[in-house]
Amino acid sequence: MWSPHELMSFLYAFYDPRPQDRVVWKIAPGERASLWDDCFQNRRIRIGWDEVGSLGQYESDQELKAELDLHWPHSTGGNLRLARQMLAFRDLERGDLVVANRGKSEVLAVGTVVGGYAYDSDVRTHRHTVDVDWDTSYAQSFDAPRHAWQQTLAKVPATLMREIRRGQSRSGTTETPGPVEKAHGADEAGALKGSAAKGVALPDDELPDDVRNVRDLLEHKGQVVLQGPPGTGKTRLALNVALALAGRADLIEATPAERGTILAELSAVPEDTEEPEEDRAARLTMVTFHPSYGYEDFVEGFRPDTAADGAGLHLKMKKGVFLRVCAAAEKYPDETFLMVVDEINRGDLPRVLGELITLLELDKRGSVSITLPTSGRQLTVPPNVRIIGTMNSADRSVSHIDSAIRRRFAFLDVPPDLDALDGEVEGLGLATLLEGLNERLDTHFGPDHLLGQAYLLSDDRPLATAEQLSHAFHHEIVPLVTDYCLGRPEMLRAVLGELVDDKTGRVVQTNPQDLPGMLAKVFVTAETGDEDNVPVESEWNEE
């Protein structure tokens, strides 16, 4: 007779119900890996912040943040993120992967979690522990530092995990997948299909989590709206999904030029075909909704006929962009046709979509048709048409999305991605800067008015110089924050602190070389400058 614990262990070992795309965490075993010998010998990983006590007593990130604020009250802008990371550490489960590092450039080992969280009061420091089975064959050094690894805990993107695996292969170890690879869930059968261009399709488990989430929602619902603050990369995510659907997910992390080439191919309307021009469409179609965008543009309507002879205005019934996509999708049922609608909430959706709200539901695709009132033609939406809309959450008031339309779409929040800001300027961590600024914006304006990581990126890479940071701050960030403040100097001062001149109520213009230090003083370190009040485990000065 099995005990409940034995039965549970059996079911989780052979029929694990948990998602297979769990986050891989990088965890530093003490400053400069000072605890690595203990962690390796005792098969565990340890982190500090012992003052908060056992993490098992906290029910939410806000509750843990409040305790962190109590012990480190001057750690502006970092405690909420730290609280979430610590709870993720607490919630590590059997089979999850962790990477142990020394500094920003060295991997010590990759480990598989074999036990749950515990608070070890028998050790002097770093009492938060998780049992881990380490594999040191992954030990390696990177060619360039990973600035995001400056902190104790950091997510490891799928692309970096692939690089770590390649480093293990180059070290001369066997290429046969070991327990670590199997725990990560690699499965070649999950490769995407597509024929846009020749390329190497990625296994399903190597797709970025956000791309996989959107793709799965499209399969379940047919259309998805990506919503989030400005600069969070909603359109970029939609285009990444287009690459994945076309079998070119290997270019998601490619250079802008390489991405642009394949996206241009996907967006090109075929010309060497016998179909009428109005029945042609690319596999990727992008449109932008705005207040004057109407049913005639999207579905069908009478439009000026520029080819007509004779005087006067001549009108002709023309198919809108969506009908052209549907016509092409019917002729190529094995291809996926994706429409990306930028700023979807800026259009009058009931007017633009019209009868389409009846046909967009997946169970009506390909089986239910309606008669279009203007032309009288029958319309059926093919099952291989997908729609991704993007919506700036700061512009929710532009156009309300009614419940009938909302029911046809899945909605996915796209928050600021601090992990994309793997960089620093003059010692100022860009991720920490954005987090500190967003914490103030959240306090005064709410979560819809945060700033995304794109404001601190250039050509998809983190800003690297003080001049770049100065330009982004004064010409992009400050105008947007000023707009949020509706011209109220006291509100601007509450957000930007001493960067706002008391007399003029305007942001002071500074030498670019001085700006990183001023931003650090306002958004990162204590106002008193007492760095002893910064959480010691953060390893901001690990190098």
Side-chain angles (χ1 to χ4, degrees):
M1 188 69 171
W2 284 12
S3 70
H5 179 75
E6 291 173 329
L7 180 60
M8 180 187 68
S9 298
F10 172 81
L11 291 175
Y12 269 84
F14 294 97
Y15 304 99
D16 195 337
R18 298 170 296 180
Q20 298 301 306
D21 56 348
R22 298 276 296 177
V23 172
V24 179
W25 284 96
K26 187 284 304 180
I27 306 175
E31 184 176 355
R32 297 295 303 169
S34 58
L35 301 175
W36 173 237
D37 288 342
D38 171 82
C39 290
F40 179 70
Q41 293 172 6
N42 293 294
R43 301 176 64 210
R44 61 183 178 180
I45 186 68
R46 296 162 54 188
I47 64 172
W49 299 286
D50 304 331
E51 291 85 344
V52 302
S54 173
L55 299 178
Q57 63 185 307
Y58 299 101
E59 297 182 359
S60 69
D61 52 7
Q62 293 292 339
E63 189 176 338
L64 178 54
K65 177 186 180 299
E67 189 66 22
L68 290 168
D69 289 342
L70 205 62
H71 293 282
W72 296 281
H74 300 296
S75 179
T76 310
N79 284 345
L80 180 58
R81 184 186 184 198
L82 175 59
R84 291 170 177 168
Q85 292 172 336
M86 293 177 68
L87 292 184
F89 175 87
R90 178 198 67 183
D91 295 336
L92 287 171
E93 299 177 329
R94 286 180 179 271
D96 287 343
L97 299 184
V98 296
V99 176
N101 71 297
R102 177 186 286 116
K104 302 177 187 177
S105 305
E106 185 180 357
V107 173
L108 297 171
V110 174
T112 303
V113 175
V114 295
Y117 164 81
Y119 184 75
D120 187 355
S121 56
D122 293 333
V123 296
R124 188 175 63 87
T125 64
H126 297 73
R127 295 176 173 176
H128 305 290
T129 69
V130 170
D131 294 336
V132 176
D133 189 6
W134 295 109
D135 184 348
T136 57
S137 67
Y138 288 86
Q140 59 192 276
S141 295
F142 300 130
D143 294 334
R146 308 285 168 169
H147 295 292
W149 285 22
Q150 190 168 336
Q151 298 186 5
T152 296
L153 298 126
K155 294 179 182 179
V156 180
T159 52
L160 180 56
M161 197 62 205
R162 288 199 299 272
E163 182 178 341
I164 292 173
R165 286 196 174 105
R166 287 196 297 267
Q168 183 216 25
S169 298
R170 287 193 299 269
S171 67
T173 58
T174 176
E175 296 185 4
T176 303
V180 170
E181 283 92 349
K182 292 179 180 178
H184 196 56
D187 183 5
E188 293 294 336
L192 297 177
K193 307 296 182 184
S195 58
K198 293 181 180 180
V200 180
L202 293 181
D204 202 54
D205 70 308
E206 292 190 6
L207 281 176
D209 294 342
D210 53 359
V211 172
R212 183 168 46 247
N213 289 340
V214 177
R215 186 205 59 185
D216 292 345
L217 286 174
L218 285 175
E219 291 301 313
H220 173 71
K221 199 74 174 180
Q223 40 277 331
V224 176
V225 170
L226 308 178
Q227 58 184 7
T232 54
K234 298 177 288 294
T235 302
R236 179 183 175 84
L237 173 56
L239 295 178
N240 287 345
V241 175
L243 291 173
L245 293 176
R248 293 313 310 267
D250 56 308
L251 293 178
I252 287 177
E253 301 294 337
T255 64
E258 293 173 318
R259 283 170 50 87
T261 299
I262 188 63
L263 288 173
E265 290 182 26
L266 293 173
S267 303
V269 178
E271 297 181 358
D272 54 343
T273 176
E274 298 180 356
E275 284 88 7
E277 184 176 352
E278 65 175 7
D279 289 343
R280 304 176 193 171
R283 292 182 58 194
L284 170 63
T285 301
M286 291 194 66
V287 297
T288 301
F289 281 3
H290 48 79
S292 62
Y293 198 92
Y295 181 88
E296 300 82 3
D297 304 294
F298 198 66
V299 184
E300 67 172 11
F302 287 100
R303 311 297 295 175
D305 185 6
T306 57
D309 297 328
L313 177 65
H314 296 266
L315 299 178
K316 181 180 180 180
M317 172 64 66
K318 293 186 177 181
K319 291 182 179 180
V321 61
F322 187 74
L323 256 64
R324 295 199 297 272
V325 170
C326 289
E330 286 180 353
K331 292 181 173 62
Y332 301 96
D334 294 332
E335 303 280 358
T336 298
F337 286 76
L338 175 66
M339 287 199 67
V340 176
V341 182
D342 227 7
E343 308 289 352
I344 191 171
N345 61 313
R346 297 188 70 86
D348 185 350
L349 291 183
R351 179 178 180 272
V352 173
L353 299 179
E355 305 84 12
L356 291 181
I357 62 172
T358 301
L359 302 180
L360 287 179
E361 293 181 276
L362 280 183
D363 60 352
K364 296 181 175 64
R365 299 284 188 92
S367 59
V368 176
S369 63
I370 59 173
T371 302
L372 298 178
T374 308
S375 65
R377 63 166 59 100
Q378 294 291 306
L379 172 63
T380 300
V381 177
N384 56 325
V385 173
R386 298 289 183 265
I387 301 175
I388 298 179
T390 69
M391 183 172 73
N392 189 336
S393 58
D395 291 334
R396 289 183 191 273
S397 61
V398 172
S399 177
H400 174 70
I401 299 180
D402 63 49
S403 58
I405 294 175
R406 184 174 290 275
R407 190 169 63 82
R408 268 77 176 180
F409 287 81
F411 286 77
L412 181 67
D413 288 324
V414 183
D417 182 10
L418 298 178
D419 295 322
L421 297 176
D422 179 14
E424 57 184 33
V425 176
E426 303 293 335
L428 171 65
L430 297 180
T432 307
L433 165 63
L434 185 62
E435 186 174 27
L437 175 58
N438 276 341
E439 187 169 276
R440 294 197 180 192
L441 291 173
D442 190 11
T443 299
H444 294 288
F445 305 110
D448 289 340
H449 292 77
L450 307 183
L451 297 183
Q453 69 279 0
Y455 287 93
L456 298 176
L457 296 174
S458 176
D459 290 333
D460 297 336
R461 293 298 305 154
L463 303 181
T465 67
E467 288 74 17
Q468 288 179 322
L469 178 61
S470 178
H471 184 278
F473 180 74
H474 287 293
H475 301 295
E476 298 181 49
I477 295 176
V478 168
L480 185 59
V481 175
T482 303
D483 184 61
Y484 286 168
C485 295
L486 301 175
R488 293 177 292 175
E490 69 281 0
M491 186 63 72
L492 187 63
R493 190 175 294 109
V495 176
L496 299 181
E498 62 187 66
L499 295 169
V500 178
D501 185 87
D502 290 333
K503 294 182 179 179
T504 65
R506 296 178 179 274
V507 175
V508 297
Q509 295 292 322
T510 64
N511 185 312
Q513 302 302 322
D514 297 331
L515 183 61
M518 297 179 66
L519 293 174
K521 186 176 181 182
V522 173
F523 297 112
V524 180
T525 59
E527 295 180 3
T528 61
D530 181 7
E531 295 191 1
D532 289 338
N533 287 318
V534 177
V536 296
E537 183 74 5
S538 63
E539 296 178 5
W540 288 337
N541 299 311
E542 187 179 20
E543 288 294 305

